[in-house]
């Protein structure tokens, strides 16, 4: 079994109702919207250099059982269908690629540093293949640039761009992942601004293109920062020692893709910065040993707010980034440490007297929860900013020698793992959708699996408690391995445009 099919270019765009095998719970209405690289090959016969640089394609899976929607699925008489649609995001990057001019992604392109910096300021790239988030009333496709793409959630057509243009400080790079506090509905983002003094700017998003500046954190060398953590009171930045020298951007002559601007500088350690949401004050700024990670899983407060706890998927260093080059992946040459679930606990000292905090009084401790191989970990959206019990993730070998052949559910209370594997499929990020029952794991887990023997993908629905399959939907094609999905209960209409 080879996973190379997961890195093929999918040229087909479809919109159709698909029959369900098994049973979809009646309470499940809404849509899973996923995003990822859909095309790697370029018209000139070449290809992008890195998995992260494939051209954005969105996928929508809509559940509206019993509604009838657009009628029985042809040939089945079954109205318990899932409506499926996939579409390339017709971004500027997509059009440039079509015209043979794609340049300047994450790890593709030979733009000079000077051009690259100019591009960051004037024309941020928009190959927004990482995730789709609802911001205000809009659905935005995101990447690590402050320029988001507005997507029609029904047709998946691009309706324009969204980039902040107002008095709050902004940056040239953005964390790809926003964090939402479900208690208030507020979304947060972090942008990196390069300058004589560089800053991470933390904002609350009040709507698409509207924001309230929370606070800023100075840094002498910005880190590559894909995500951050959020609790009910704090925003937590993890500044890994994968750092850029801001001056290197303006030195002429050096060439190379974006990520090669960053250097692994382990002597710096990993800085953990806790910013109070209400005031923007930095209430803790401790440093721990060097580590790297892309995804903060969830975060919460403990002991009356004197401790901030966050789970982070870590790897020992940043070398895994190059392991994700397209050549390596297509040739099945993965050889890297898989993700590990690690818990960080920041002791704030006394949270009532902010002036006493800082690098002297705060400390951070670390506990390895699970080190047997994870990728793209998630928790129930009902637990965001609160203590969670279960973490879901792709189940990897440790070290990784290939793609995920299963998904897993890790119980942080009992230190137990349930795995779902079929022996014949490669899996993507699992998304938990909470159901109406009280149990923390009552609901379903949705994941897209690629069957390389059958030559196509399927959506697999697991029962959240049993962690066993309860339904599947065969897709009309093989979906390239993608990044992230969000479940939007409000996107119900089966006839998706
Ligand atoms: Fe991500």
């Amino acid at each position: 079994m080879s996973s190379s099919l997961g890195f093929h270019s999918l040229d087909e765009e479809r919109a159709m109702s698909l029959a369900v095998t098994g049973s979809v719970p009646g309470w499940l209405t809404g849509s899973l919207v996923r995003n990822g690289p859909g095309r790697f090959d370029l018209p000139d016969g070449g290809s992008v250099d890195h998995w992260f640089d494939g051209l954005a394609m969105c996928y929508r899976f809509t559940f509206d059982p019993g509604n009838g929607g657009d009628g029985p699925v042809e040939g089945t008489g079954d109205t318990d269908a899932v409506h499926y649609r996939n579409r390339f995001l017709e971004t500027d990057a997509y059009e440039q690629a079509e015209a043979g001019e794609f340049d300047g992604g994450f790890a593709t392109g030979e733009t000079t540093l000077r051009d690259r910096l100019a591009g960051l300021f004037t024309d941020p790239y928009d190959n927004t293949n990482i995730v789709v988030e609802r911001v205000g009333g809009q659905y935005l496709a995101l990447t690590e640039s402050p320029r988001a793409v507005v997507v029609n959630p029904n047709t998946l057509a691009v309706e324009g761009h969204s980039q902040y243009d107002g008095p709050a400080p902004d940056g040239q790079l953005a964390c790809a992942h926003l964090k939402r506090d479900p208690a208030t509905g507020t979304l947060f983002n972090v942008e990196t601004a390069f300058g004589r003094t560089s800053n991470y700017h933390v904002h609350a998003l009040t709507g698409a293109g509207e924001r309230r500046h929370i606070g800023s954190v100075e840094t002498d060398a910005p880190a590559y920062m894909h995500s951050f953590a959020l609790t009910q009171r704090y925003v937590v930045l993890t500044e890994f020692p994968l750092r850029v020298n801001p001056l290197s951007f303006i030195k002429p002559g050096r060439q190379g893709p974006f990520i090669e601007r960053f250097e692994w500088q382990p002597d710096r350690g990993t800085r953990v910065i806790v910013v109070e949401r209400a005031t923007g004050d930095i209430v803790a700024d401790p440093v721990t040993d060097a580590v790297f990670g892309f995804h903060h899983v969830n975060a919460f407060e403990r002991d009356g707010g004197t401790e901030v706890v966050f789970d982070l998927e870590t790897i020992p260093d940043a070398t895994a980034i190059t392991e994700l080059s397209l050549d390596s992946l297509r040739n099945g040459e993965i050889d890297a440490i898989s993700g590990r679930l690690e818990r960080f606990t920041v002791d704030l000292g006394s949270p009532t007297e902010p002036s006493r905090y800082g690098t002297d009084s705060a400390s951070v401790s670390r506990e390895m929860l699970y080190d047997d191989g994870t990728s793209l970990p998630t928790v129930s959206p009902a637990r965001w900013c609160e203590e969670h019990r279960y973490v879901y993730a792709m189940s990897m070998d440790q070290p990784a020698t290939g793609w995920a052949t299963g998904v897993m559910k890790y119980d942080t209370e009992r230190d137990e793992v349930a795995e779902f594997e079929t022996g014949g499929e490669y899996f993507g990020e699992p998304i938990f959708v909470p159901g109406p029952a009280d149990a923390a794991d009552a609901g379903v887990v949705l994941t897209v699996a690629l069957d390389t023997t059958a030559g196509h993908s399927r959506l697999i629905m697991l029962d959240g408690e049993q962690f066993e399959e309860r339904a599947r939907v065969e897709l009309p094609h093989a979906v390239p391995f993608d990044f992230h999905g969000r479940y939007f209960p409000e996107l119900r209409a089966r006839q998706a445009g």
Side-chain angles (χ1 to χ4, degrees):
M1 181 167 85
S2 161
S3 61
S4 61
L5 188 60
F7 303 99
H8 83 300
S9 292
L10 174 59
D11 290 320
E12 196 173 67
E13 298 178 332
R14 302 291 292 270
M16 58 201 300
S17 287
L18 299 171
V20 174
T21 305
S23 78
V24 175
W27 55 261
L28 185 71
T29 53
S31 296
L32 172 70
V33 177
R34 297 196 57 83
N35 195 353
R39 181 185 297 168
F40 303 96
D41 299 297
L42 299 171
D44 64 4
S47 65
V48 301
D49 292 335
H50 199 277
W51 181 39
F52 294 179
D53 280 332
L55 293 168
M57 179 176 266
C58 282
Y59 309 83
R60 170 175 158 155
F61 305 86
T62 300
F63 302 90
D64 200 359
N67 175 342
D70 44 357
V73 179
E74 198 173 333
T76 68
D78 181 6
T79 57
D80 249 3
V82 166
H83 191 89
Y84 171 73
R85 176 185 281 275
N86 74 306
R87 187 166 180 167
F88 280 106
L89 294 183
E90 285 145 22
T91 61
D92 293 351
Y94 180 84
E95 285 174 14
Q96 285 160 11
E98 292 281 278
E101 295 168 359
F102 184 76
D103 192 25
F106 176 82
T108 302
E110 290 297 326
T111 325
T112 66
L113 287 172
R114 182 175 289 177
D115 287 351
R116 185 70 199 161
L117 183 68
L120 286 175
F121 281 99
T122 59
D123 186 23
Y125 71 105
D126 70 345
N127 185 25
T128 46
N129 63 11
I130 295 181
V131 68
V132 173
E133 289 280 5
R134 182 167 49 81
V135 184
Q138 291 188 315
Y139 294 83
L140 301 183
L142 303 171
T143 185
E144 295 173 326
S145 132
R147 190 165 179 236
V149 165
V150 183
V151 179
N152 181 309
N154 294 317
T155 64
L156 303 181
V158 170
E159 295 186 329
H161 289 84
S162 174
Q163 185 168 0
Y164 178 70
D165 181 19
D170 59 356
Q172 294 81 47
L173 296 177
C175 287
H177 291 276
L178 309 178
K179 292 286 182 183
R180 184 186 301 275
D181 180 347
T184 62
T186 309
L187 271 171
F188 290 80
N189 87 335
V190 174
E191 292 189 0
T192 302
F194 292 91
R196 190 172 296 273
T197 303
S198 295
N199 277 281
Y200 307 112
H201 297 306
V202 180
H203 305 103
L205 303 184
T206 49
E210 298 167 26
R211 62 174 52 163
R212 178 165 53 85
H213 180 227
I214 299 289
S216 298
V217 177
E218 286 188 6
T219 180
D220 62 337
Y224 174 76
M225 203 181 273
H226 184 73
S227 71
F228 59 94
L230 181 71
T231 75
Q232 291 174 348
R233 290 175 61 180
Y234 303 107
V235 173
V236 186
L237 308 186
T238 311
E239 191 180 38
F240 303 111
L242 184 62
R243 301 293 195 93
V244 71
N245 176 353
L247 294 177
S248 75
F249 274 95
I250 52 177
K251 286 182 190 160
R254 289 182 58 192
Q255 299 200 347
F258 167 72
I259 194 62
E260 292 180 14
R261 297 288 80 72
F262 293 85
E263 280 179 3
W264 182 244
Q265 301 173 357
D267 290 348
R268 288 178 176 271
T270 299
R271 184 181 170 204
V272 177
I273 309 140
V274 181
V275 179
E276 189 172 46
R277 280 168 51 172
T279 61
D281 289 344
I282 297 172
V283 300
D285 195 354
V287 176
T288 179
D289 290 346
V291 75
F292 184 70
F294 289 100
H295 295 115
H296 293 78
V297 189
N298 194 40
F300 54 92
E301 294 145 33
R302 213 162 45 189
D303 284 350
T306 60
E307 284 185 349
V308 172
V309 181
F310 63 94
D311 288 356
L312 175 70
E313 184 182 49
T314 65
I315 45 179
D317 58 47
T319 56
I321 291 178
T322 53
E323 293 288 329
L324 298 173
S325 76
L326 196 64
D327 277 350
S328 300
L329 293 169
R330 281 182 164 173
N331 295 328
E333 295 168 353
I334 306 172
D335 180 17
I337 302 296
S338 292
R340 311 165 303 184
L341 299 177
E342 199 170 344
R343 176 157 291 186
F344 290 62
T345 301
V346 184
D347 180 352
L348 299 180
S350 166
T352 55
E353 297 177 44
S355 61
R356 292 174 53 195
Y357 310 148
T359 47
D360 294 334
S361 65
S363 63
V364 56
S365 59
R366 291 161 59 173
E367 177 193 2
M368 189 62 73
L369 299 180
Y370 179 84
D371 64 0
D372 267 354
T374 60
S375 186
L376 304 183
T378 61
V379 298
S380 167
R383 304 308 302 170
W384 289 346
C385 303
E386 293 181 51
E387 186 159 5
H388 56 276
R389 177 166 175 183
Y390 299 104
V391 177
Y392 307 88
M394 293 153 62
S395 179
M396 309 292 290
D397 288 338
Q398 187 65 288
T401 53
W403 206 254
T405 53
V407 287
M408 54 173 275
K409 168 187 173 185
Y410 175 72
D411 182 340
T412 61
E413 262 180 43
R414 296 190 177 171
D415 188 28
E416 289 175 358
V417 176
E419 288 190 72
F420 177 81
E421 279 192 339
T422 57
E425 294 165 307
Y426 293 105
F427 287 79
E429 178 200 55
I431 294 292
F432 179 80
V433 185
D438 284 339
D441 55 353
V444 296
V445 176
L446 300 173
T447 181
V448 175
L450 173 62
D451 182 335
T452 56
T453 305
H456 67 262
S457 301
R458 56 182 64 99
L459 179 73
I460 293 185
M461 177 183 297
L462 306 180
D463 175 83
E465 291 169 280
Q466 304 301 319
F467 215 59
E468 291 169 359
E469 180 176 327
R470 66 171 293 165
R472 61 170 54 197
V473 176
E474 306 294 331
L475 303 185
H477 43 223
V479 171
F481 294 135
D482 64 1
F483 297 134
H484 300 288
R486 286 281 178 272
Y487 195 82
F488 298 107
E490 72 279 10
L491 294 181
R492 289 185 60 163
R494 178 187 285 180
Q495 186 55 272

